[in-house]
Amino acid sequence: TLITSALTAQPEANYDETKVPKFSVPDPLVTFGGEAITDSQQWEEKRKLEIYQFFEKQIYGKVPALLDEYSFKVIEQDNNALGGKAQRKQIAVGIKKNNRSLNFNILLYLPIGNENAPVFLGYNFHGNHTVTDDPNVIITEAWNENNEDLKIRNNKATEASRGVRMNRWAIDKMLDKGYGIATVYYGEIDPDKNDFSDGLHSLFYEEGQTKPKTNEWGSIAAWAYGLSRAMDYLENDTNISNVIVFGHSRLGKAALWAGATDLRFAGVIGNDSGCGGAALSKRKFGETIGQINTSFPHWFSESFKKYSNKEEMLPVDQHELLALIAPRPLYVASAVEDEWADPKGEFLSAQYATKVYELYDKKGISSTDVQEVNHPIKQTLAYHMRSGKHDVTDYDWDQYIAWAETFAK
Ligand code: GTR
């Protein structure tokens, strides 16, 4: 134990602005070779791909191969759900690779009265049945992290946890405004533990392989991939106009990477996504790469570990992840008490990504904008810092819905 703790001990988290190291963020509009980018065409041809490939190989990790088979089946439907407000569908998706298979369920509510609804798609942390008290939502069988407050015990969800996370999903508000909501339990894609023997990764192994290769995907990239597989169904549902991908915290990191990898997402929301999400790594404020790679060694590609406590060596920073989503609508959100996720680093990141949006004549966070509590800046690239803690609240959803009305409908 002495040896392990010596190897994994991390410098204490810094919360002092005066101790943020002097750093310069890489300019999204200068190539690794030093060439200046002046328009969107040059960005697409010369810069976007090299940034994308860096994030793909050195940060989240590559998807190793194509699938062998994809199928879906609507296993349950009710056209009079939630007191007549919604149509509910539960869709079982099956994917196959190397004769191994994985299944996950999408819970979808579509508003009655809007035959062509925009939909928010986001993962939940403990099962589809936790986001609503609707008694007909199927309880996940997948491994679940224990949580006494949420009544998840013995790594299994039961009836006891139905509706325990309703507070994070403003489903009524969405439906009232004509939006649908689709959610998947992230543990059905890849259980969130440092174990690569199960989940999505294991389908792709060659004979004798037990974990992804050095530049291949960690769990965040696997979750992002799962969002795309949910999209494969959603884009073919004729009652859906477009899909805005959403995620909170670790699932916000996954949503941002999904937005960067899959152009079909019409909008992207990263709620309190923090380190490895929207927050700049080079500030080393709150959670750092060293911290995250130690606490969650399975989240990123193995190749990302070389940047643990060496953030200054990175030729990119997270504002360039945001820039990969341009010119599509993107909302970055923080909470003022969520210092672990570095709200200032998230704000600056949105500000530094803005010049790429401007190449497409889209607005974001300008250099004169200031970060103020509960003063959302709603442009194509939007930002707010809510009062309160690391969470998803009605305040957040009120902003996302109002923003989507203008930018992502
Ligand atoms: C924390 C982790 C964060 C964030 C958070 C969450 O433990 O350090 O990066 O992902 O979990 O997902 O709630």
Side-chain angles (χ1 to χ4, degrees):
T1 43
L2 248 183
I3 294 170
T4 5
S5 63
L7 280 176
T8 56
Q10 289 299 312
E12 229 178 279
N14 175 44
Y15 293 112
D16 180 349
E17 218 33 75
T18 68
K19 291 194 180 127
V20 168
K22 280 232 168 338
F23 69 94
S24 61
V25 292
D27 188 336
L29 299 186
V30 177
T31 66
F32 292 139
E35 206 182 320
I37 299 296
T38 55
D39 60 37
S40 60
Q41 196 184 337
Q42 287 178 5
W43 159 259
E44 304 243 346
E45 285 169 6
K46 297 187 176 159
R47 183 65 169 140
K48 190 177 174 185
L49 185 64
E50 65 175 13
I51 293 177
Y52 179 79
Q53 287 177 337
F54 188 89
F55 276 93
E56 189 190 36
K57 291 187 196 138
Q58 306 298 336
I59 300 184
Y60 303 104
K62 279 169 77 83
V63 177
L66 295 175
L67 279 184
D68 295 341
E69 249 180 81
Y70 177 88
S71 64
F72 66 81
K73 196 172 173 201
V74 178
I75 51 173
E76 194 272 342
Q77 180 168 343
D78 179 357
N79 296 333
N80 192 22
L82 301 181
K85 270 192 170 185
Q87 177 193 59
R88 181 187 62 244
K89 288 189 203 175
Q90 298 185 77
I91 303 110
V93 175
I95 58 183
K96 274 199 183 143
K97 182 75 189 168
N98 299 325
N99 292 319
R100 293 184 279 267
S101 60
L102 181 137
N103 297 290
F104 66 90
N105 282 348
I106 305 172
L107 168 64
L108 173 65
Y109 289 110
L110 289 173
I112 298 294
N114 187 357
E115 304 283 270
N116 199 27
V119 165
F120 293 105
L121 164 68
Y123 280 122
N124 60 73
F125 279 81
H126 288 282
N128 295 348
H129 70 294
T130 62
V131 310
T132 167
D133 57 9
D134 180 342
N136 297 297
V137 176
I138 298 164
I139 298 180
T140 182
E141 307 264 308
W143 180 89
N144 215 308
E145 185 157 305
N146 289 336
N147 186 317
E148 220 14 76
D149 291 344
L150 302 182
K151 305 190 178 68
I152 310 269
R153 298 170 189 129
N154 306 315
N155 299 116
K156 274 266 173 261
T158 64
E159 197 56 50
S161 49
R162 188 177 298 282
V164 291
R165 273 286 164 80
M166 287 176 72
N167 58 306
R168 285 192 174 176
W169 298 85
I171 294 177
D172 280 344
K173 282 181 192 283
M174 297 179 207
L175 293 170
D176 289 346
K177 290 278 186 186
Y179 288 77
I181 160 82
T183 188
V184 173
Y185 168 48
Y186 84 131
E188 292 188 357
I189 303 294
D190 186 35
D192 193 357
K193 44 187 171 150
N194 184 20
D195 168 7
F196 281 112
S197 67
D198 54 11
L200 189 56
H201 303 93
S202 66
L203 271 62
F204 289 74
Y205 295 156
E206 292 153 15
E207 189 125 348
Q209 195 182 342
T210 55
K211 59 177 187 170
K213 295 177 188 158
T214 310
N215 291 108
E216 287 180 353
W217 50 359
S219 292
I220 291 172
W223 297 323
Y225 182 92
L227 289 167
S228 288
R229 301 293 71 77
M231 185 63 182
D232 295 340
Y233 166 77
L234 298 171
E235 73 169 347
N236 288 305
D237 188 313
T238 52
N239 292 126
I240 295 176
S241 62
N242 65 33
V243 176
I244 302 160
V245 67
F246 156 86
H248 169 62
S249 204
R250 67 197 66 184
L251 301 177
K253 308 179 211 294
L256 292 171
W257 184 234
T261 52
D262 193 332
L263 298 172
R264 294 174 298 173
F265 292 118
V268 184
I269 301 169
N271 188 89
D272 305 358
S273 61
C275 179
L280 294 175
S281 300
K282 291 175 190 286
R283 275 173 45 81
K284 306 193 192 203
F285 188 99
E287 188 171 30
T288 61
I289 294 175
Q291 286 281 1
I292 207 164
N293 279 336
T294 305
S295 324
F296 307 101
H298 57 294
W299 279 5
F300 296 86
S301 158
E302 191 59 31
S303 46
F304 194 43
K305 300 217 166 99
K306 62 178 166 294
Y307 297 102
S308 289
N309 304 312
K310 293 196 181 70
E311 288 81 352
E312 61 287 348
M313 304 288 287
L314 270 170
V316 300
D317 209 330
Q318 296 300 114
H319 62 302
E320 290 169 312
L321 169 67
L322 305 184
L324 290 175
I325 295 165
R328 286 166 296 146
L330 165 63
Y331 203 128
V332 174
S334 317
V336 71
E337 290 172 39
D338 185 18
E339 290 208 290
W340 182 239
D342 187 14
K344 185 169 177 189
E346 297 188 311
F347 176 79
L348 290 175
S349 183
Q351 203 168 47
Y352 297 154
T354 292
K355 52 160 92 173
V356 178
Y357 277 78
E358 287 171 348
L359 293 180
Y360 298 89
D361 293 322
K362 304 281 186 199
K363 288 191 180 147
I365 312 306
S366 77
S367 55
T368 53
D369 281 327
V370 287
Q371 185 185 24
E372 266 182 86
V373 185
N374 299 334
H375 277 269
I377 302 166
K378 291 197 189 105
Q379 302 291 356
T380 301
L381 168 46
Y383 178 83
H384 75 236
M385 178 169 65
R386 160 177 65 68
S387 51
K389 292 188 173 49
H390 188 69
D391 200 358
V392 194
T393 69
D394 277 7
Y395 177 91
D396 296 315
W397 281 114
D398 284 338
Q399 311 317 313
Y400 300 149
I401 294 166
W403 166 79
E405 287 288 289
T406 311
F407 296 102
K409 212 168 172 178

